[in-house]
Amino acid sequence: MTVPTTRNRASTMKRLLLAGVACLPFAGSPLAAHAADAPDTATVGEVVVTARHRVENVQDVPAAVSVLGGEMLTNTNTTNINQLAELLPSVQFTAYNPRNSQINIRGLGSASNLANDGLEPGVGFYVDQVYYARPASATFDLIDIDSVQVLRGPQGTLYGKNTTAGAVSVSTSAPTFDPEARVEVTGGDYAYAQGKLSVSGPLFGDVVAGRLSASYTTRSGFYTNVATGDEVNSYRNLMLRGQLLIKPSDTFSVRLTGDFSQQNTNCCAQVLSEIVTPSNGANFVTMSQHFGYTPIVEPFARRTNTNVEVFARQETGGASAVAEWVRPGMTITSVTAWRYWDWTPSNDLDASPMDLLRAAAVTDNQDQYSQELRIASTGDNTIDYVAGLYYFREDLKNETITEFGAGAVYTYVSTAVPAAVLEGVRTVGDGRLKSTSYAAYGQATWHLTPRLDVTGGLRYTYDKKSGSFDQVASGGVPLVGIPLVFFTALRNGFAPNASYDVDASDRNWSGQLGVAYDVSDDVMLYANAARGYKTGGINLAALAPGVPTVIAPEQVDSFEAGLKTRLFDRRMTLNLALFHQTAKDYQANIYDPVLVKAYLGSVPEVRTRGLEFDLQARPVEQLSLYASGAWTDATYTDYPASACGLEHITLPSCDLTGGQVAGVPKWAWSGGGEYRAPIALGELFVGLDYSYRSKIGSTGNSRYTELEGRGLVNARIGVRSADGGWTAYVWSRNLLDEEYLTTKVPLGNNGGLYSSVGDPRTVGATLRVDF
């Protein structure tokens, strides 16, 4: 005999079916809005999520989950993950270029703009239930998306591998047996042009349906290279996705997906943003003039000056098969996938016309295979459960090339050292990483009473890794005779020969325990304790003495308490969450400005704590509103030996204990809404969105490389037809033309700071037609 639950599942599922996720232009916490088929009274729409691998109402999930519907992404011209993060205050996305992309949730994940192939992300990124191991592959255009679900905090049980900070789960639109098509074209300033197409329908009766999605985007660069007159940081993106849905019966289906995306850019140039005086007394202006270069600090003029070609070419793709077999009281799911990622860049790492670094690039080739088998309960049960087995394998190869120019010694060491010590010296490093992971997991929710639920889950993970790195230095004049022979150790420090092989394995138990209590049908209180785990990293680089080749696994203990409410006859939802997280052996990519090198290291302990709120409201039929905010106190609670910032560049290390974790704003919020009014053509709509981030701390807690706070306003106004068949609107991103920097990096130890500049105001128009 089953026990009825406070969720009243039959009633809930009826409401969900009536609302329908596909009808929501934007949905869930923090961004929920009206359904396309709006009810007669203004209410906030019901939102379906699969965050716990079961179909549930987001307000019934006792955890902090944010949901962005596909129509919201479309209507706000949110076309990539960077723009998506603007709508989610607890999520930070930073990127020097696509490879060096990092996602951060609640102050944890990755705290540096620079990537290291041996460092796995702390935020799991999934598309259609498939894990993407490399953050760079998440930088594709968002196309034909059904929803984006963001789970905040460790997801050690159900998502497991490398989700110590949270998980981002993207669901694309599935094939349909009813024919449908959508065509969308967009044009804007800076030669912006984008075309999107999706077509879906039956292929063989009611057994096989197909879906094809495609997009192509081009934009000219926001920067000008004064040396050549060329536009810099332009891009061309192509994305294709094909799907087949095979459904021989009502109880069995297989969804086959193949995708391919390609990015071609002349990215990513930087501009001189500031000149400071480091503790070693170096003078950037004097140094630059030695090479006939007069530095000009005008970052928002967006003029760069490089003597090395910059470009970045990225290609990613794969195939997956998701099979579902519905049995009485349960669903069995199999997810099989293979993916690859190729990255080819050319950088001017010194971002200047000076002959400092003639080459500095990392080329990557990665492929992965994963298999998950899962069983989940369905219907009304005293105990609901999910259990599964998971396998993952990754193989990555990289090549790292560095070549020093005539000014390298003068810039990075001293004017007293002969230029010949580094000029023409070249290093080529070959890295290899193989990673295999096995896991078994289970989670159950016991409905103790109609209002009280208890959830518990465990996951066992076994990770095995092997890595190798070989670097050979060549070129440059022989260091013989007086005085060159005395600088052999200096050359070897910047350009060492290196070779090592390493094996590592980790075993871990992670999981969660939670309780949820329904005060009423519209108010829920919950509390969770969770442990997240991230496997140890391998340094695929030539290392300075004392830097380990393998760093320890990362462990995060998290405590969260929350409140979920529906208010004013469901015209409003207000959700609150308090969290406290402690990360042991927090994995970080550490930048040494003296040797101009990055390597993996561990911070003994990091603590993050904070408060989040998500609000959505529909006070009247024509108006939808949302607001979200986060206060995050992210602190190094134990970090006695860090690389130093420019203020203390002469010290061997700095104690950052008590300092702000790099890459995390203390305050962040977003808000906005859309107003609709009937007109002769159908419906007029006006939308406004605002996103704010406070000051962001930097590696080494250097005040010189902090990023100032900024607020961005986006707006749109347009018309929809009465039947929803077409939509036309004009839009602007960064409407007020806010000037801000997205990165700030020192050029060695000489006091020159180079930055990436945020996009200026852009305007455009979009026409979308549905058939």
Side-chain angles (χ1 to χ4, degrees), residues 596-679:
V596 200
K597 293 181 181 295
Y599 60 91
L600 296 185
S602 293
V603 180
E605 185 177 275
V606 171
R607 182 209 64 211
T608 71
R609 58 187 178 184
L611 171 66
E612 302 164 330
F613 80 89
D614 299 319
L615 181 147
Q616 52 178 312
R618 195 172 179 192
V620 295
E621 180 71 21
Q622 295 80 19
L623 180 63
S624 300
L625 301 171
Y626 73 89
S628 301
W631 171 74
T632 305
D633 178 22
T635 303
Y636 297 118
T637 49
D638 184 12
Y639 197 8
S642 165
C644 297
L646 293 177
E647 299 94 327
H648 308 290
I649 198 72
T650 56
L651 298 178
S653 66
C654 287
D655 187 351
L656 300 189
T657 302
Q660 181 181 0
V661 174
V664 184
K666 184 156 287 189
W667 296 95
W669 61 76
S670 62
E674 185 176 281
Y675 179 78
R676 300 163 298 280
I679 59 174

Side-chain angles (χ1 to χ4, degrees), residues 381-691:
N381 306 287
T382 302
I383 297 178
D384 290 320
Y385 63 87
V386 178
L389 300 172
Y390 185 78
Y391 170 78
F392 174 84
R393 186 189 72 215
E394 178 185 28
D395 192 345
L396 180 142
K397 300 177 182 178
N398 70 16
E399 182 181 67
T400 305
I401 298 176
T402 303
E403 183 174 342
F404 296 95
V409 162
Y410 187 99
T411 305
Y412 301 127
V413 186
S414 169
T415 58
V417 178
V421 173
L422 287 181
E423 182 180 2
V425 175
R426 181 182 180 88
T427 62
V428 178
D430 292 308
R432 181 75 179 265
L433 177 68
K434 291 186 177 182
S435 177
T436 305
S437 180
Y438 305 87
Y441 62 88
Q443 180 169 299
T445 298
W446 184 10
H447 306 292
L448 285 169
T449 74
R451 293 194 178 274
L452 180 63
D453 291 349
V454 176
T455 299
L458 281 175
R459 187 182 189 105
Y460 175 77
T461 304
Y462 172 70
D463 285 322
K464 184 178 181 181
K465 287 186 174 183
S466 62
S468 64
F469 184 78
D470 295 284
Q471 178 169 289
V472 177
S474 62
V477 301
L479 297 184
V480 296
I482 305 297
L484 292 181
V485 69
F486 296 106
F487 296 106
T488 301
L490 177 62
R491 174 182 283 187
N492 291 340
F494 278 86
N497 290 304
S499 180
Y500 65 82
D501 295 277
V502 64
D503 293 297
S505 62
D506 300 314
R507 293 174 172 82
N508 176 267
W509 286 97
S510 57
Q512 76 164 90
L513 180 64
V515 59
Y517 179 73
D518 284 333
V519 179
S520 68
D521 288 344
D522 292 327
V523 178
M524 180 179 69
L525 294 169
Y526 70 89
N528 292 319
R531 170 166 290 181
Y533 153 82
K534 185 165 72 167
T535 182
I538 294 179
N539 263 307
L540 296 180
L543 303 175
V547 177
T549 56
V550 179
I551 62 173
E554 177 183 310
Q555 178 177 294
V556 176
D557 290 326
S558 172
F559 300 92
E560 177 184 319
L563 169 70
K564 291 195 169 185
T565 67
R566 301 179 180 93
L567 305 172
F568 307 114
D569 294 326
R570 304 201 172 190
R571 293 175 184 263
M572 177 188 292
T573 63
L574 174 63
N575 299 336
L576 302 174
L578 284 165
F579 65 89
H580 186 286
Q581 302 177 140
T582 301
K584 299 286 189 181
D585 294 319
Y586 181 56
Q587 297 173 2
N589 200 31
I590 298 170
Y591 176 73
D592 185 341
V594 176
L595 294 177
V596 200
K597 293 181 181 295
Y599 60 91
L600 296 185
S602 293
V603 180
E605 185 177 275
V606 171
R607 182 209 64 211
T608 71
R609 58 187 178 184
L611 171 66
E612 302 164 330
F613 80 89
D614 299 319
L615 181 147
Q616 52 178 312
R618 195 172 179 192
V620 295
E621 180 71 21
Q622 295 80 19
L623 180 63
S624 300
L625 301 171
Y626 73 89
S628 301
W631 171 74
T632 305
D633 178 22
T635 303
Y636 297 118
T637 49
D638 184 12
Y639 197 8
S642 165
C644 297
L646 293 177
E647 299 94 327
H648 308 290
I649 198 72
T650 56
L651 298 178
S653 66
C654 287
D655 187 351
L656 300 189
T657 302
Q660 181 181 0
V661 174
V664 184
K666 184 156 287 189
W667 296 95
W669 61 76
S670 62
E674 185 176 281
Y675 179 78
R676 300 163 298 280
I679 59 174
L681 290 175
E683 181 180 75
L684 173 71
F685 64 90
V686 179
L688 193 70
D689 304 287
Y690 177 74
S691 172

